[in-house]
Amino acid sequence: MSAVAKKTIELYYDVISPYSWIAFEVLCRYRSKWNIDLKLKPFFLGGIMQGSDNKPPGFVPNKATYMFKDIQRLRRYYQIPINIPSDVADIMFNKGSLPTMRYVCAVDVKDAQHTEDLSREFWMRVWSRDQDITSPQSLLEAGLKIGLSEIAAKDALQKIKDQEIKDRLKAHTQEALNHGAFGSPTIIAHVHGKANMFFGSDRFPLLAQEIGEKWEGPLNELATCKL
C-alpha cells in the first residue's frame, strides 16, 4: 500500500512577530499528527507592511495595549515562554529584523536542516530573554547556539550582504504578498491544487477543517520549548 501523500503547508514569518512564534510552534507540534510537509518561508515583515499598505498594531495605542495582554494569555495557553521585551518600540520600529531574516535565509540556503532551530532561537532571544537579534555578534551567537560550526555561522553572516540572499528574502516576501499577505504569520495550505491563505495564530480550527484534519488544542505535551 502506498504512503498517504503529505499535505503541504507554507509558513511565511518574521521572528520580530510574537504571533508568528505561536503559529510556528503549533505547526511544528502538528506536523506528524496532521501528516503535513511544513515549509518554512522566512520573509521580511517590513516589506509586507509596505507592500500591503498596512501598519503595525503598535501604532494604534489601544491595539498595543491589547496585544500585551493577549500575549500573556497565549503564553499560558500554548505554554510558550513569551515575555514582553523591555523596549518593544525600539525592537520593532528602530532595530527591526532585516539582518536577522537575511541571516535566517542564508542558513536556510546552505543548511536548511537548521532553519527551524535558528528561527526558534531568535524568537527565544528577542521574545523570551530580551536579547538583541540584529548585531553581527548576536547573529553569530544564535548560529553557534543551535549547532552551526564557527565556519558555517561566520559564512552565513558574510552572506547576508550577498545579492542572492537579499533576493531570496525579497522573493519570499513577494510570494506572500502575491497570496494576499498583510502581516505575519501568513499560512498557506495547499489543498487539491489550490492555495488557501490563513492569517494569524488563531485560525487553526479553520486550517484543520480546510485540510481535512482535527484541531485538538495546543498539544503542549509536544512542546519543544516550554515555560
Side-chain angles (χ1 to χ4, degrees):
M1 183 180 294
S2 59
V4 177
K6 289 189 174 183
K7 310 167 188 71
T8 298
I9 292 181
E10 296 172 304
L11 173 63
Y12 291 88
Y13 66 96
D14 187 321
V15 299
I16 204 72
S17 161
Y19 291 99
S20 294
W21 188 10
I22 294 164
F24 169 90
E25 295 295 354
V26 172
L27 288 173
C28 286
R29 294 175 191 180
Y30 271 88
R31 186 161 34 197
S32 296
K33 184 173 284 289
W34 283 352
N35 191 34
I36 58 176
D37 178 15
L38 178 59
K39 296 185 180 298
L40 300 177
K41 295 290 190 80
F43 70 3
F44 179 48
L45 182 54
I48 293 293
M49 289 298 187
Q50 183 176 20
S52 63
D53 198 25
N54 195 4
K55 60 182 178 180
F59 282 5
V60 181
N62 282 358
K63 283 186 178 181
T65 300
Y66 174 80
M67 184 179 78
F68 294 153
K69 294 178 181 178
D70 192 41
I71 286 174
Q72 294 305 312
R73 296 187 191 114
L74 293 168
R75 167 191 168 92
R76 294 191 297 270
Y77 182 70
Y78 288 106
Q79 292 293 290
I80 295 172
I82 302 178
N83 296 306
I84 303 298
S86 56
D87 193 341
V88 176
D90 184 52
I91 288 169
M92 300 194 77
F93 307 133
N94 295 328
K95 291 183 176 179
S97 61
L98 186 56
T100 318
M101 298 316 294
R102 284 178 178 168
Y103 192 79
V104 174
C105 280
V107 170
D108 189 50
V109 167
K110 192 168 183 180
D111 297 288
Q113 71 272 19
H114 291 296
T115 304
E116 180 179 327
D117 288 342
L118 181 63
S119 299
R120 182 178 287 113
E121 175 58 20
F122 279 129
W123 272 304
M124 287 290 294
R125 285 182 70 90
V126 67
W127 283 103
S128 187
R129 301 193 297 263
D130 197 11
Q131 295 175 324
D132 175 73
I133 59 168
T134 58
S135 73
Q137 184 60 36
S138 296
L139 301 180
L140 277 177
E141 287 176 2
L144 294 171
K145 180 78 178 288
I146 57 97
L148 291 180
S149 68
E150 185 174 355
I151 292 174
K154 288 183 176 179
D155 181 62
L157 184 61
Q158 289 299 315
K159 288 222 169 8
I160 68 174
K161 305 172 185 176
D162 291 356
Q163 195 61 45
E164 175 193 2
I165 299 305
K166 294 178 181 179
D167 288 346
R168 183 179 179 87
L169 185 61
K170 287 179 181 177
H172 283 179
T173 303
Q174 189 58 52
E175 281 176 23
L177 285 169
N178 291 345
H179 282 300
F182 53 88
S184 183
T186 295
I187 301 168
I188 307 298
H190 294 270
V191 181
H192 304 307
K194 181 181 178 182
N196 303 271
M197 190 189 92
F198 296 86
F199 169 72
S201 59
D202 58 353
R203 293 294 184 265
F204 293 114
L206 297 178
L207 174 60
Q209 176 179 265
E210 191 68 38
I211 64 175
E213 294 291 347
K214 182 180 179 183
W215 169 248
E216 298 180 28
L219 297 185
N220 292 332
E221 67 276 12
L222 299 180
T224 299
C225 56
K226 301 180 180 180
L227 289 177

